[in-house]
């Protein structure tokens, strides 16, 4: 197991004497919260300190409290339970809270991402209590969209002018890409801005002014500003410089005699104030940053990375991780400060940014890939997939060697602190995107048990069609509505039959999930030239979990004679990480027995043509006043319950000469076992709504209700620390639009 990396943020405290300059550290301080608590800010109210951090632990804003500034207690509630409508749920970071003079209300500022525009903006929320709940203001406070976005807000009340101010960073480095936090040459400005505020703190008063910018001593960026005032009247602007995930990251400061500046940076030997290697509470700091300072300058909180050997060090890959060293799945990510999508792999609880890894000589030990390194800077995996399975196999093996405990290339990553800090990100801090550009999507129907179960409901006299066992049945799906896991799914409208069996326009009342696997194609064929079945495995890049959401009532009315149409085209979810076909070789097994002798073009030479993959489905209900919002596993089954394999699907799909292309997606069809608890859809489990499915707290379902969340999990192996997992495939149902 790997132990050479530890990127867990800590909330620390340290006391300063700001009566005179340069600032001097007093010998008190140490670890306050031994868990992820990045970008901390704090406020003191009636003798209690409250600290707030970037999203994590299931909260938009994690919160902690202390009465002595030494012992902190993490809160089990979210002070920001609701986000503004424009903000996405995944990137909520760098909060700050200020108490207003006069009425004593509280205003929270935080950065959020608008997923529609990929722009970082600062948001505002208000509350009558420091612990919330904070009610967000509808519109963004500031975006700086043309310069990369606005992040890292910090508020300050100036008693001289009796005015409120907000300082923040222009996120220019998010316009870059690659190493050094996306701004390796420093070409994208990242200035600190100051904005005067309205009396209630929720609106700007005039235009923002630039008060500080990076110079050559700061590395690629400056960020995380925090403003305070010393007892002698000097204004002190704290900030972090250098790359936020590198060992040079630090806490520096600038001073001014007026709140609006000009601010002059303090340089060595009096700054940085905190840097890697500094002693805090008997331990050595690593990459301190994101500081917030008390109004009287006597206390400061900041985050820092754990170092190997310190208390609380964690292994990078836990034995039960779905992303084991035996796996190495590929995906597409962005991070908070780098919004250009790029390839990555998942390893343990981390993602390795392959664009950064490649651009910093990470592949110097694999010469065969050097002419194709560009594929790791592409916004999708299509170019990498098109290199073919021999290359995938070679790259995967090389990356396994890189992460092995006894790696033959220790200098490339294991002992390269700079590259680790630039290229490795906690999975919770990355945003996943659709892994490949999908040109075409075909959904098959080869889960025999599902076909039997459904047929017994609507066609009991002949559950299976006459052709079912002779060929892998399929239909052309809609590629434009395939989305990555976590994307909300809107309940569709359409034609359904009413109680009198007459067509009527309505929102779907029988919304369902379908548990499937999806396969991405890595090698195509020329038009007119079929893919031989015994060669077709080389056309499969890898597998994902897939939920082909289904509007059953729409489907039942429209499907004759040409099959489903609108009932299937409104949304298909896939998991974010593609498990390469080679990672699953160890888990091959025979498909369901087919009593029909298929035609020669479908006859495979190998019998272990499908995979032994465990599959589970969770249903989570909406939390409300009456119910706590509970999760129940409603399906457990296995991917071996297929009648045809992916090579057979490809051979059949192309037998007419149909050209298959790199990036095409093939769905397996719903995978069900033979018992109720193993059925891969609610249609089967509830017998088309006749038998309610029991959940927790007395709740039941026949079909999905608004705000229900469906989550798929899948994995092969796992008993020996070599689990081959897919991660989750989830989606939450949003109410239908009112089109009546």
């Amino acid at each position: 197991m790997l132990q050479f990396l530890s990127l867990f943020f800590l909330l620390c405290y340290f006391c300063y004497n700001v009566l005179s300059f340069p600032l001097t550290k007093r010998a008190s301080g140490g670890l306050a919260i031994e868990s992820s608590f990045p970008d901390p800010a704090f406020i003191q109210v009636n003798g209690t300190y409250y600290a707030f951090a970037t999203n994590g632990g299931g909260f938009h804003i994690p919160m902690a409290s202390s009465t002595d500034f030494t012992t902190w207690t993490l809160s089990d509630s979210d002070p920001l339970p609701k986000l503004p409508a424009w903000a996405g749920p995944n990137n909520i970071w760098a909060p700050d809270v200020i108490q207003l003079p006069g009425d004593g209300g509280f205003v929270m500022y935080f950065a959020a991402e608008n997923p529609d525009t990929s722009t970082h903006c600062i948001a505002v929320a208000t509350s009558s209590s420091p612990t919330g709940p904070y009610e967000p203001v509808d519109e963004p406070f500031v975006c700086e969209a043309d310069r990369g976005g606005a992040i890292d807000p910090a508020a300050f009340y100036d008693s001289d002018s009796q005015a409120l101010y907000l300082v923040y960073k222009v996120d220019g480095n998010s316009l870059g890409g690659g190493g050094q936090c996306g701004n390796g040459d420093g070409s994208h400005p990242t200035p600190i801005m100051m904005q005067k505020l309205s009396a209630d703190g929720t609106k700007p008063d005039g235009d923002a002014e630039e008060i500080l910018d990076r110079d050559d001593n700061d590395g690629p960026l400056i960020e995380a500003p925090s403003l305070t005032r010393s007892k002698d009247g000097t204004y002190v602007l704290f900030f972090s410089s250098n790359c936020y995930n590198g060992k040079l990251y630090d806490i520096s400061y600038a001073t001014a005699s007026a709140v609006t500046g000009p601010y002059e940076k303090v340089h060595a030997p009096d700054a940085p104030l905190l840097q890697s290697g500094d002693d805090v509470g008997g331990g050595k700091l690593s990459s301190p940053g994101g500081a917030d300072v008390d109004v009287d300058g006597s206390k400061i909180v900041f985050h820092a990375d754990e170092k190997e050997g310190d208390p609380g060090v964690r292994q990078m890959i836990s034995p039960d991780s779905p992303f084991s060293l035996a796996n190495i799945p590929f995906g597409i990510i962005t991070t908070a400060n780098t919004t250009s999508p790029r390839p990555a792999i998942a390893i343990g609880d981390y993602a390795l940014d392959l664009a950064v890894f490649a651009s910093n000589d990470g592949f110097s030990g694999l010469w065969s890939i050097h002419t194709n390194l560009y594929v790791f800077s592409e916004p999708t995996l299509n170019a990498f997939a098109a290199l073919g399975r021999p290359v995938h196999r070679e790259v995967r093996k090389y990356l396994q060697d890189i992460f092995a405990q006894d790696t033959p290339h220790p200098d490339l990553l294991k002992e390269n602190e700079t590259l680790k800090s630039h290229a490795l990100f906690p999975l919770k801090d990355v945003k996943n995107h659709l892994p490949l550009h999908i040109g075409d999507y075909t959904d098959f129907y080869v889960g025999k048990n599902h076909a039997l179960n459904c047929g017994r409901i609507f066609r009991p006299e002949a559950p299976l069609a006459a052709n079912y066992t002779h060929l892998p049945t399929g239909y052309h799906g809609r590629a434009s509505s395939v989305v990555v896991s976590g994307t909300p799914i809107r309940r569709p409208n359409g034609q359904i039959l009413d109680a009198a069996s007459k067509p009527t326009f309505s929102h779907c009342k029988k919304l369902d999930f379908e548990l499937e696997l999806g396969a991405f194609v890595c090698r195509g064929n020329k038009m007119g030239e079929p893919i031989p079945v015994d060669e077709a495995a080389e056309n499969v890049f890898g597998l994902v979990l897939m939920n082909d959401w289904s509007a059953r009532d729409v489907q039942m009315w429209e499907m004759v004679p040409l099959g489903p149409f609108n009932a299937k085209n409104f949304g298909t979810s896939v998991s974010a990480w593609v498990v390469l076909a080679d990672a699953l070789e160890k888990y091959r097994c025979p498909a369901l027995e087919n009593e029909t002798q298929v035609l020669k073009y479908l006859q495979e030479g190998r019998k272990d043509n499908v995979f032994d993959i465990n599959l589970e489905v969770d249903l989570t209900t909406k939390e409300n006043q009456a119910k706590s919002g509970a999760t129940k596993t409603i399906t457990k089954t296995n991917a071996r319950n297929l009648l045809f394999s992916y090579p057979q699907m490809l051979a059949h799909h192309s037998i007419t000469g149909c050209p298959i292309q790199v990036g095409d997606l093939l769905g397996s069809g719903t995978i069900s076992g033979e018992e109720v608890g193993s059925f891969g859809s609610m249609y089967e489990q509830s017998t088309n709504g006749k038998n309610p499915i029991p959940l927790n707290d007395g709740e039941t379902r026949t079909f999905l209700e608004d705000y229900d969340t469906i989550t798929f999990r899948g994995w092969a192996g796992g008993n020996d620390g070599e689990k081959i997992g897919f991660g989750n495939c989830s989606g939450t149902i949003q109410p239908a639009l009112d089109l009546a």
Side-chain angles (χ1 to χ4, degrees), residues 66 103 134 145 168 171 296 304 317-318 324-325 399 406 438 443 459 476 515 545 577 595:
S66 174
D103 68 4
Y134 285 84
Y168 63 90
D171 200 26
D296 65 358
I317 308 176
S318 63
S324 68
L325 195 60
L399 291 171
D406 57 348
I438 303 169
D443 194 25
R459 192 176 53 221
H476 196 75
L515 174 60
L545 303 178
W577 298 100
E595 297 177 356

Side-chain angles (χ1 to χ4, degrees), residues 666-701:
L666 308 178
S668 64
T670 305
I671 302 172
S672 294
E674 297 180 353
E675 301 81 26
V676 172
S678 64
F679 294 169
S681 70
M682 299 178 80
Y683 181 83
E684 298 167 80
Q685 292 199 33
S686 71
T687 319
N688 193 18
K690 294 179 181 178
N691 302 309
I693 303 165
L695 304 178
N696 297 321
D697 298 328
E699 285 193 276
T700 62
R701 290 287 188 276

Side-chain angles (χ1 to χ4, degrees), residues 442-463:
T442 301
D443 194 25
F444 285 89
Y445 186 57
V446 302
K448 182 180 178 182
N449 294 323
H450 171 72
L452 278 169
N453 295 334
C454 293
R456 288 165 180 154
I457 294 171
F458 66 83
R459 192 176 53 221
E461 70 283 356

Side-chain angles (χ1 to χ4, degrees), residues 167 170 260 318 358 362 368 400 406 457 461 495 589 699:
V167 290
V170 172
T260 56
S318 63
S368 60
Q400 287 174 320
D406 57 348
I457 294 171
E461 70 283 356
Q495 289 193 34
C589 62
E699 285 193 276

Side-chain angles (χ1 to χ4, degrees), residues 179-180 182-188 214 219-220:
Q180 285 291 293
N183 203 20
D185 58 0
S187 60
H188 302 288
R214 61 169 293 280

Side-chain angles (χ1 to χ4, degrees), residues 1 317-327 347-348 586-587 716-725:
M1 296 303 147
I317 308 176
S318 63
D320 60 348
S321 171
F323 305 130
S324 68
L325 195 60
N327 193 348
I347 180 76
K586 181 179 176 181
Y587 302 100
N719 295 327
D720 50 3
E722 295 187 354
K723 183 181 287 186
I724 309 295

Side-chain angles (χ1 to χ4, degrees), residues 80 158 165 236 260 306 315 432 462 521 597 624 661 687:
L80 186 70
D158 180 39
Y165 293 89
V236 187
T260 56
E306 278 181 332
Q315 292 182 343
N432 293 105
V521 171
Q597 178 69 42
N624 55 46
Q661 299 176 328
T687 319

Side-chain angles (χ1 to χ4, degrees), residues 59-82:
F59 300 116
H60 296 138
I61 302 291
M63 181 172 60
S65 61
S66 174
T67 56
D68 60 6
F69 207 68
T70 301
T71 303
W72 292 80
T73 303
L74 288 168
S75 174
D76 58 2
S77 63
D78 192 335
L80 186 70
K82 184 173 71 173

